[in-house]
Amino acid sequence: MQNIKDQQYVTLLVNSKHKMEAKLDTGAQVNVMPQRQYQKLGLNDLQPSVTNLRGYGGDKPKVLGKCALACQYKDRCCNLEFYVIDTDAPVALKPQSMRGNGFSKIYPNS
């Protein structure tokens, strides 16, 4: 885990082959991924979504779809759902997605 300007990030191994930096976002209700990261991972299994999201500041990013990814942190693996959005924001992980999946040490106070 690394701190970047007082924000915590982790490196996940996605689908056993791609490394992805993800921000630990204690205020997030869903996991989000910008479209550029989705494309960088070479994925093409985006599922439709009618979900509307609202950011902390009230912005409403365009949801392009959702996907499920096999993610590994250290020696723990789990499948996580991400909403792919049209934004320049970093990949963000919600605390609830990590609990019960062996990732609880990422969020020690959650």
Side-chain angles (χ1 to χ4, degrees):
M1 185 169 11
Q2 58 183 319
N3 288 323
I4 300 174
K5 296 182 183 178
D6 296 326
Q7 297 179 13
Q8 293 184 330
Y9 285 76
V10 294
T11 301
L12 298 175
L13 185 62
V14 178
N15 295 341
S16 300
K17 57 184 171 182
H18 300 286
K19 288 186 178 183
M20 177 175 77
E21 294 294 316
K23 176 183 171 183
L24 303 179
D25 189 344
T26 57
Q29 298 297 311
V30 297
N31 299 318
V32 295
M33 175 186 300
Q35 182 182 24
R36 66 174 159 44
Q37 180 66 46
Y38 180 81
Q39 292 169 336
K40 183 178 176 184
L41 294 173
L43 302 173
N44 61 3
D45 59 346
L46 198 59
Q47 301 298 310
S49 174
V50 295
T51 301
N52 293 311
L53 301 177
R54 184 180 304 262
Y56 178 75
D59 60 312
K60 296 179 182 178
K62 180 179 179 184
V63 177
L64 304 173
K66 63 183 178 178
C67 63
L69 302 176
C71 296
Q72 179 178 343
Y73 176 70
K74 296 187 179 182
D75 63 342
R76 303 293 182 140
C77 299
C78 71
N79 290 318
L80 298 177
E81 182 178 74
F82 288 86
Y83 286 88
V84 178
I85 57 176
D86 186 13
T87 184
D88 289 330
V91 174
L93 297 176
K94 66 177 183 168
Q96 296 87 346
S97 68
M98 307 311 268
R99 291 188 201 121
N101 290 313
F103 289 0
S104 60
K105 291 184 180 179
I106 295 176
Y107 289 101
N109 297 322
S110 61

